[in-house]
Amino acid sequence: MELYKENQLKIYNSLSKSKELFKPITKGRVGMYVCGPTVYSNVHLGNVRTFMSFDMVFRYLQHLGYKVRYVRNITDAGHLENDADEGEDRIAKKARLEEIEPMEVVQRYTVDFHNVTKKYNFLPPSIEPTATGHIVEQIEMIKEIMDKGYAYEINGSVYFDVLEYNKNNHYGILSGRNIDDAIHNTRALDGQSEKKNPQDFALWKKADERHIMRWPSPWSDGFPGWHLECSVMSSKYLGEQFDIHGGGMDLKFPHHECEIAQSHTCSGVQPVNYWMHANMLLLNGQKMAKSTGNYVLPDDILTGNNEVLPKAFGVGVVRFFIMQAHYRSILDFSGEALLASEKGFHRLMEAMDYLEEITPSKESSFDVKAWKQTCYDAMNDDFNTPILIAHLFEAVKFINQIKDGKATVATDDLTLLTSTLNTFVYDILGLVNDAKEQSSDKLDGVVELLIKLRKEARDNKDWALSDQIRDELAAMGIQLKDGREGTTYSVN
């Protein structure tokens, strides 16, 4: 039996601002769309947190037995500076500054994004569409919105008429903003904006002479507005109405609000049943953002090549740190916080490793079945990973008590404990036991040092010290082998 039939999953819906019982549109299937990166620069850890949160959601939905179609787009055109309707496309600007083709920018940072998601153990989405791959569909949606009287063309650009839409609909339904307050977080200089109203947003922008990224349309050679691509691609791959739409909290307005207005105009229905928003990641108490320089790149955490952290940290530690906070809560990233998470992560991994060494007893001194249910209860409560992790450490405590001879576990319970821990630690939280790899690297370093000291002893004809190093390593199961090209070792 599929696990979703016996689990009552509740999701906090940003639209209703409450937790709701999850009921997919089609039984046993889930359609989920998550706003992906704008590929004009390296993805930073704040972005990674959002994508990791939805990687965890994707993993859990699949674990419950749902057939999930997970769509995460790549924005490779049309994202203007400061999320405005004025200014320059971020990708085109980067291309101009570096004197390369825009698609070189796109390729470079798309590859970087994929490398990061692979290193941080993300599952790939079912579909990863691009904005440039759906220009025709975006033009068709603009035509439909214009035909319904909710968009207008000025000087080759097309804008969505927010005030007209709001006469019969609710612009602000997601963010809770009043129409008078719903002005994009930009400052349009007086007399320079061609829009009828400051609330209106671009569906199509006419390209000026310098603009490299341009496509022909009925209105001008230009490029689509940023908000349009998500309405087009979500409806194309998930239908006019689908289950879950995710993204960062900063996208709630104006991006997601604009998506709702566009999609609702074309379909006549609310496009999404459950809106989910991951909260921001702070760096030493300040918002992490490329624009302010207050950010750290994911690769730099793994190498230690940064001025923020005291040392390098592994993928497992970073994922564990992020999963220790609920996806809707603000998380402050710092060296001190990562060091604390590292200790907890290593405790968890040591317990996981010790599972293989446990000899079962006739009886259990711990109710494994009841504990397993608490793990599901945590995840069913809006993917509450910090509570789940607290329950995982109840199991860690039990394993350590077995190790100390203060607790026992029966064969069936040991099997259940092992499978449940593997499921939640590796399959759902996506943690990786890179502590083993780090230990192996440290062992390599220590043995190579001893081989070097032994060679110096032999060069100095100190045979007693040379033999002592060889024999004591052998006693620990490390065999040295001398050859023409030097000394190698193996672990028995």
Side-chain angles (χ1 to χ4, degrees):
M1 185 175 75
E2 294 87 352
L3 288 173
Y4 65 77
K5 294 179 179 178
E6 58 189 50
N7 282 274
Q8 298 277 294
L9 173 62
K10 290 186 176 180
I11 296 178
Y12 182 86
N13 190 347
S14 297
L15 192 62
S16 67
K17 298 173 179 58
S18 64
K19 290 180 188 177
E20 298 178 7
L21 185 65
F22 179 62
K23 294 182 179 180
I25 295 170
T26 303
K27 185 178 180 181
R29 294 174 178 265
V30 177
M32 181 170 77
Y33 186 94
V34 173
C35 293
T38 302
V39 283
Y40 71 98
S41 65
N42 298 101
V43 62
H44 67 66
L45 196 66
N47 309 132
V48 169
R49 186 207 178 177
T50 296
F51 301 131
M52 189 180 292
S53 296
F54 290 104
D55 178 65
M56 172 271 296
V57 170
F58 180 37
R59 287 169 175 272
Y60 189 59
L61 290 172
Q62 286 191 314
H63 170 71
L64 291 180
Y66 288 112
K67 186 173 182 180
V68 186
R69 177 175 289 176
Y70 174 23
V71 182
R72 186 185 64 210
N73 70 305
I74 296 285
T75 297
D76 57 354
H79 195 162
L80 301 184
E81 294 177 275
N82 303 316
D83 305 337
D85 290 324
E86 312 298 332
E88 193 171 359
D89 183 301
R90 292 180 176 186
I91 294 165
K93 181 179 180 180
K94 185 82 168 184
R96 180 174 54 79
L97 292 174
E98 297 194 12
E99 297 182 337
I100 59 177
E101 283 290 326
M103 282 303 155
E104 288 183 76
V105 174
V106 166
Q107 177 70 6
R108 177 191 302 171
Y109 296 114
T110 300
V111 169
D112 170 72
F113 175 67
H114 287 152
N115 286 340
V116 167
T117 57
K118 186 175 182 180
K119 287 178 184 177
Y120 279 81
N121 197 31
F122 286 29
L123 297 178
S126 314
I127 303 173
E128 194 174 52
T130 63
T132 56
H134 296 77
I135 298 296
V136 172
E137 293 93 332
Q138 292 183 75
I139 290 172
E140 290 304 310
M141 180 171 271
I142 295 171
K143 289 179 182 178
E144 187 174 353
I145 294 171
M146 294 183 78
D147 289 344
K148 294 190 175 181
Y150 291 122
Y152 57 90
E153 183 261 334
I154 292 181
N155 299 326
S157 293
V158 182
Y159 297 96
F160 188 94
D161 194 330
V162 170
L163 295 184
E164 186 65 29
Y165 173 81
N166 201 57
K167 289 179 181 178
N168 300 309
N169 306 282
H170 183 191
Y171 183 81
I173 190 172
L174 179 65
S175 63
R177 299 194 182 204
N178 296 322
I179 191 67
D180 292 336
D181 300 328
I183 300 175
H184 297 253
N185 9 351
T186 61
R187 292 182 303 157
L189 298 178
D190 291 341
Q192 290 194 3
S193 177
E194 59 189 8
K195 297 184 289 185
K196 288 182 182 178
N197 312 292
Q199 297 94 335
D200 298 346
F201 57 89
L203 299 174
W204 187 264
K205 288 291 289 182
K206 181 180 180 180
D208 61 30
E209 294 179 358
R210 296 182 307 161
H211 208 96
I212 307 170
M213 300 183 81
R214 59 173 70 215
W215 292 265
S217 79
W219 314 286
S220 66
D221 281 1
F223 54 95
W226 168 39
H227 313 302
L228 191 65
E229 63 176 285
C230 290
S231 289
V232 164
M233 291 188 280
S234 62
S235 62
K236 177 171 182 175
Y237 298 110
L238 299 175
E240 291 182 337
Q241 198 167 31
F242 57 96
D243 299 300
I244 298 172
H245 194 313
M249 196 75 76
D250 58 323
L251 298 181
K252 187 184 291 187
F253 184 88
H255 184 53
H256 290 160
E257 200 74 74
C258 296
E259 275 191 62
I260 291 175
Q262 294 164 161
S263 299
H264 183 236
T265 293
C266 294
S267 67
V269 296
Q270 283 297 322
V272 180
N273 284 353
Y274 302 86
W275 283 92
M276 296 180 65
H277 291 94
N279 217 325
M280 71 177 71
L281 183 68
L282 303 180
L283 177 57
N284 293 322
Q286 302 295 320
K287 182 180 178 181
M288 192 177 292
K290 298 171 188 172
S291 57
T292 62
N294 189 54
Y295 69 94
V296 60
L297 296 178
D299 275 348
D300 293 344
I301 297 169
L302 306 182
T303 62
N305 183 27
N306 62 82
E307 298 179 358
V308 177
L309 304 175
K311 67 185 193 72
F313 292 91
V315 167
V317 173
V318 178
R319 279 197 76 116
F320 181 72
F321 166 74
I322 290 176
M323 291 293 111
Q324 279 185 297
H326 192 272
Y327 76 91
R328 286 192 290 115
S329 66
I330 293 174
L331 177 59
D332 195 1
F333 182 85
S334 66
E336 185 178 347
L338 269 183
L339 287 169
S341 285
E342 185 177 51
K343 291 179 182 178
F345 173 74
H346 285 158
R347 280 182 58 214
L348 177 60
M349 291 299 108
E350 286 166 7
M352 295 291 292
D353 291 340
Y354 187 71
L355 281 169
E356 300 174 4
E357 301 178 31
I358 293 176
T359 301
S361 303
K362 291 183 178 180
E363 297 181 349
S364 295
S365 55
F366 181 70
D367 192 337
V368 177
K369 288 183 180 178
W371 164 81
K372 175 184 175 181
Q373 187 57 51
T374 64
C375 293
Y376 278 101
D377 290 344
M379 288 301 292
N380 290 336
D381 183 17
D382 192 32
F383 310 98
N384 202 325
T385 56
I387 298 299
L388 168 65
I389 288 172
H391 292 316
L392 295 180
F393 274 90
E394 292 172 13
V396 170
K397 181 180 178 182
F398 174 52
I399 292 167
N400 288 334
Q401 288 174 338
I402 296 172
K403 190 176 183 179
D404 295 338
K406 298 177 181 178
T408 58
V409 62
T411 301
D412 289 349
D413 280 344
L414 177 59
T415 300
L416 182 62
L417 177 68
T418 302
S419 64
T420 304
L421 278 169
N422 281 325
T423 293
F424 283 98
V425 171
Y426 298 128
D427 298 343
I428 294 171
L429 294 181
L431 303 185
V432 289
N433 193 353
D434 47 9
K436 281 185 176 179
E437 296 175 14
Q438 292 171 6
S439 297
S440 177
D441 290 342
K442 289 177 182 178
L443 176 64
D444 286 340
V446 171
V447 175
E448 290 298 334
L449 175 61
L450 289 170
I451 289 173
K452 181 180 178 182
L453 293 174
R454 178 170 173 265
K455 182 179 183 301
E456 290 176 358
R458 296 177 75 183
D459 290 344
N460 295 329
K461 295 184 170 43
D462 189 347
W463 308 115
L465 178 58
S466 170
D467 291 346
Q468 182 184 1
I469 292 173
R470 180 198 63 205
D471 294 343
E472 291 195 13
L473 284 174
M476 291 185 286
I478 300 172
Q479 300 294 328
L480 299 185
K481 184 177 181 181
D482 297 318
R484 286 184 178 181
E485 297 181 1
T487 303
T488 58
Y489 80 92
S490 61
V491 180
N492 298 329

